[in-house]
Amino acid sequence: MIFLVLLTLYLLGFAVCTTFAVRRYVHMFQLNSYKPHVQRKWYKTNAKDILLKTLPSLLIIPMSVFLPKVGVTAASIYFIIIAYLNRRIKDKKPLVYTKRVKRLLVTINVLTIGACLCASIPAYIAYNNFADKTSAKLLFSCLTVGYYILLPYIILLANLINKPIEKAINNKFIKEAENMIKSMPQLKVVGITGSYGKTSVKYYLTTLLSAKYNVLMTPESYNTTLGVVRTIREQLRATHEIFVCEMGARNVGDIKEICDIVHPDCGIITSVGPQHLESFHTIDNIKKTKFELADSLPDDGIAFLNGNDENIASVGYKRKNITYGVEAGDYQAYDLSLSSKGTTFKIKTPTGETAEFTTKLIGKHNVQNVAGAIACAHTLGVSLPQLAGAVRRLQAVEHRLQLSKRGNINIIDDAYNSNPNGTKVALDTLSMFDGIKVIVTPGMVELGDKQDEYNYEFGKNCADVCDYIILVGKKQTESIAKGVSDAGYASDKLIICDTIEDAFKELYAIKTDGKELTALLENDLPDNFL
């Protein structure tokens, strides 16, 4: 009877502890796009934290064998501590309990229950049928503790078990989306991709095209294959005339996979640069992947290419294309008047027509993005006067150099993502402001073996522009801090914080002496990078 009570307490503690740990690992798996190789890398990166939470459980084995009452007490305390450490905190991007996550959790629970039965039933039989009770306790402790230590890989095992189911479900949804597109031959599909700028161009183009057409776009950052499929299945209607489809990629072939579903009539390539180098490995692979969009166009399709991007130009694309850019391209933006209040510029079309445009958007890079949207919309039949009115209505895309006021501080919110080119653009935008200039950043990620090099240069660039530099995460920002230091930057103006909350406290504590203060928020790493 005592054994059963102790066993129940042990298993309850084990269940609570495992539940919290599973939630954390599944959350990270979702943030890692359900990719096992990315999850394994996350395990490797966070090995120290994982080991500190799991290896002490090995002490339960000898304690439960030789001091069962003390062992159960110690195990209960240990389980409570670990459950607390893995508790649900305020996540930047919380775990979304999608149907896939629910199916994964069911499989994990089946494996967990199976592990508990495999540990308890043999132990109970051995305990009641053998004079030597030590072997039963040892067997039970080894099996449960071993399962807990292997839990990170139990998640991957559950995903492997579910893989045929997930593939069948995904293929069904993909086929439905393909059939919906095929059933609407009058629908024009515009694909947009690029290392950066694609989401902004998507929003701008949708606004411009809406001056004449009924337009559907992929919402927010729904730029993966399944995100595009979900948009089509849930939102595409027979009344839509144009579908603006953002296409993201982390691996060669990702863009082609989306193109094979939506069959774009024309496409915009906004940029090619060192983004997601960790998975792409080389710039050439990035070029190849982005141009999968252009290569998927029909014979009468048009590729709109950023004429200011050297990597795009180096491809030497020969099929039908229209270029755009600032002081470059078939659709050429010129006579720019830039300020922190907005931007005025002119556009010259391939036929020699000109028009002046005014927008509340800030920065030269936004003129480049708007020029791309104008080029596509004008080619698809929206007149220049219609476009001029629509450009005036353009709004900054959330977290992409979005200007706002917080108290007495101007905030340039560029927190969505960060890359080498994007940081230069963001710092260039910050430099347009008068008064005190501050950057708050955790740096760049997913740049492979070039990450330290790019972050080091980022630090040097920050030193050229900023009056104060606030870094978030000491380990994450080591190379930035070195770049700042090597640039001869004043050490008292470099602040390193553990959390974004601490960074904001430091920001608000800066004395302005009546001067205007502008803060650039450059990147906001998701939970799986912190």
Side-chain angles (χ1 to χ4, degrees):
M1 184 65 185
I2 295 176
F3 179 78
L4 284 175
V5 172
L6 293 176
L7 178 63
T8 302
L9 289 173
Y10 187 98
L11 289 176
L12 281 173
F14 173 78
V16 171
C17 182
T18 301
T19 299
F20 278 95
V22 164
R23 197 208 71 85
R24 173 165 168 73
Y25 293 138
V26 169
H27 184 200
M28 295 304 108
F29 194 39
Q30 186 176 73
L31 292 177
N32 289 325
S33 303
Y34 304 108
K35 296 185 183 292
H37 69 280
V38 180
Q39 183 78 349
R40 286 193 293 270
K41 182 170 182 186
W42 182 83
Y43 290 154
K44 184 177 179 181
T45 303
N46 295 274
K48 184 178 178 180
D49 178 64
I50 293 172
L51 291 174
L52 285 173
K53 292 177 181 177
T54 55
L55 288 185
S57 63
L58 291 173
L59 295 173
I60 293 172
I61 295 175
M63 291 181 71
S64 61
V65 172
F66 300 107
L67 299 167
K69 292 182 180 179
V70 175
V72 168
T73 304
S76 300
I77 295 172
Y78 170 77
F79 286 140
I80 291 170
I81 292 172
I82 297 303
Y84 175 79
L85 292 174
N86 284 318
R87 72 196 186 282
R88 183 167 187 167
I89 55 177
K90 187 179 180 181
D91 300 315
K92 293 177 182 177
K93 188 175 180 181
L95 173 64
V96 181
Y97 287 90
T98 61
K99 290 182 179 179
R100 176 170 184 168
V101 167
K102 290 175 182 177
R103 287 191 293 268
L104 184 64
L105 290 174
V106 167
T107 304
I108 293 168
N109 285 333
V110 170
L111 291 173
T112 303
I113 291 169
C116 288
L117 291 174
C118 287
S120 57
I121 293 175
Y124 183 71
I125 293 171
Y127 190 84
N128 283 285
N129 290 280
F130 296 98
D132 183 9
K133 311 297 185 185
T134 302
S135 59
K137 298 172 188 174
L138 183 61
L139 174 64
F140 177 75
S141 298
C142 286
L143 287 172
T144 53
V145 170
Y147 182 85
Y148 177 70
I149 291 174
L150 292 173
L151 192 56
Y153 291 92
I154 298 297
I155 308 299
L156 298 182
L157 175 61
N159 179 68
L160 183 64
I161 292 170
N162 284 8
K163 190 174 180 179
I165 299 171
E166 300 302 334
K167 187 175 181 180
I169 292 170
N170 291 345
N171 287 341
K172 176 178 177 289
F173 291 156
I174 288 170
K175 196 65 181 175
E176 285 179 8
E178 272 188 278
N179 290 336
M180 289 179 70
I181 293 288
K182 287 178 182 177
S183 70
M184 298 175 63
Q186 82 289 351
L187 182 73
K188 283 278 186 185
V189 179
V190 181
I192 302 177
T193 192
S195 299
Y196 25 83
K198 58 183 175 291
T199 303
S200 295
V201 172
K202 174 187 70 176
Y203 277 95
Y204 302 160
L205 178 61
T206 300
T207 299
L208 302 191
L209 289 172
S210 296
K212 184 175 180 179
Y213 301 106
N214 186 357
V215 185
L216 171 68
M217 73 171 183
T218 49
E220 300 172 346
S221 293
Y222 278 46
N223 59 20
T224 63
T225 298
L226 292 180
V228 171
V229 166
R230 181 178 176 183
T231 302
I232 294 169
R233 292 179 65 251
E234 295 181 358
Q235 299 184 34
L236 186 63
R237 300 290 179 267
T239 52
H240 286 125
E241 297 169 282
I242 296 179
F243 176 38
V244 178
C245 179
E246 181 181 349
M247 302 177 179
R250 289 175 183 266
N251 300 280
V252 174
D254 284 355
I255 301 298
K256 183 180 185 304
E257 187 174 84
I258 298 174
C259 289
D260 287 344
I261 298 169
V262 302
H263 305 290
D265 299 285
C266 55
I268 304 175
I269 302 178
T270 63
S271 57
V272 172
Q275 179 81 315
H276 303 309
L277 269 178
E278 194 168 70
S279 53
F280 280 116
H281 303 300
T282 68
I283 287 290
D284 284 341
N285 281 339
I286 298 174
K287 289 180 187 179
K288 178 181 177 181
T289 304
K290 300 308 176 186
F291 272 84
E292 288 171 0
L293 169 58
D295 294 337
S296 296
L297 299 177
D299 292 339
D300 60 347
I302 303 173
F304 295 88
L305 308 177
N306 182 351
N308 294 126
D309 192 293
E310 294 179 0
N311 286 320
I312 290 178
S314 70
V315 172
Y317 187 71
K318 301 300 183 183
R319 295 177 64 192
K320 187 175 182 180
N321 69 85
I322 292 174
T323 57
Y324 65 88
V326 176
E327 306 289 350
D330 300 313
Y331 279 83
Q332 185 173 140
Y334 65 101
D335 280 358
L336 277 65
S337 176
L338 306 171
S339 74
S340 59
K341 307 295 183 184
T343 309
T344 299
F345 61 96
K346 294 178 181 177
I347 286 280
K348 183 178 180 180
T349 73
T351 60
E353 288 182 275
T354 62
E356 185 171 277
F357 296 86
T358 300
T359 176
K360 292 178 284 187
L361 303 173
I362 58 174
K364 181 179 177 180
H365 72 289
N366 264 323
V367 174
Q368 191 179 84
N369 289 335
V370 174
I374 289 173
C376 184
H378 188 241
T379 302
L380 291 177
V382 185
S383 68
L384 290 178
Q386 287 175 311
L387 290 171
V391 168
R392 279 194 294 271
R393 296 193 296 273
L394 290 178
Q395 300 291 324
V397 180
E398 191 175 18
H399 305 309
R400 292 166 175 85
L401 289 176
Q402 181 184 24
L403 181 63
S404 62
K405 198 86 171 176
R406 194 173 297 182
N408 296 321
I409 299 177
N410 295 317
I411 298 290
I412 304 174
D413 183 353
D414 197 35
Y416 174 74
N417 207 335
S418 193
N419 54 72
N421 185 74
T423 59
K424 292 174 184 176
V425 166
L427 288 169
D428 183 56
T429 303
L430 178 63
S431 68
M432 292 165 42
F433 286 76
D434 297 323
I436 300 170
K437 304 173 186 68
V438 185
I439 187 168
V440 179
T441 182
M444 297 175 280
V445 296
E446 295 187 328
L447 294 173
D449 56 10
K450 292 276 189 180
Q451 184 162 305
D452 286 339
E453 177 186 332
Y454 282 124
N455 274 320
Y456 176 81
E457 288 299 319
F458 178 33
K460 293 177 73 173
N461 294 336
C462 289
D464 289 338
V465 174
C466 305
D467 298 298
Y468 289 89
I469 298 171
I470 304 176
L471 304 180
V472 183
K474 186 174 181 180
K475 182 180 178 181
Q476 170 66 29
T477 59
E478 281 179 356
S479 51
I480 303 176
K482 189 175 189 307
V484 172
S485 177
D486 288 354
Y489 195 77
S491 59
D492 61 325
K493 300 296 179 68
L494 173 64
I495 303 166
I496 302 176
C497 302
D498 291 326
T499 66
I500 190 66
E501 290 78 14
D502 292 339
F504 272 109
K505 288 177 184 177
E506 294 288 350
L507 173 63
Y508 287 121
I510 293 174
K511 295 180 180 179
T512 62
D513 296 326
K515 294 180 182 178
E516 184 178 53
L517 190 151
T518 303
L520 168 65
L521 309 183
E522 182 62 22
N523 208 6
D524 181 18
L525 299 183
D527 302 277
N528 52 328
F529 284 106
L530 296 176

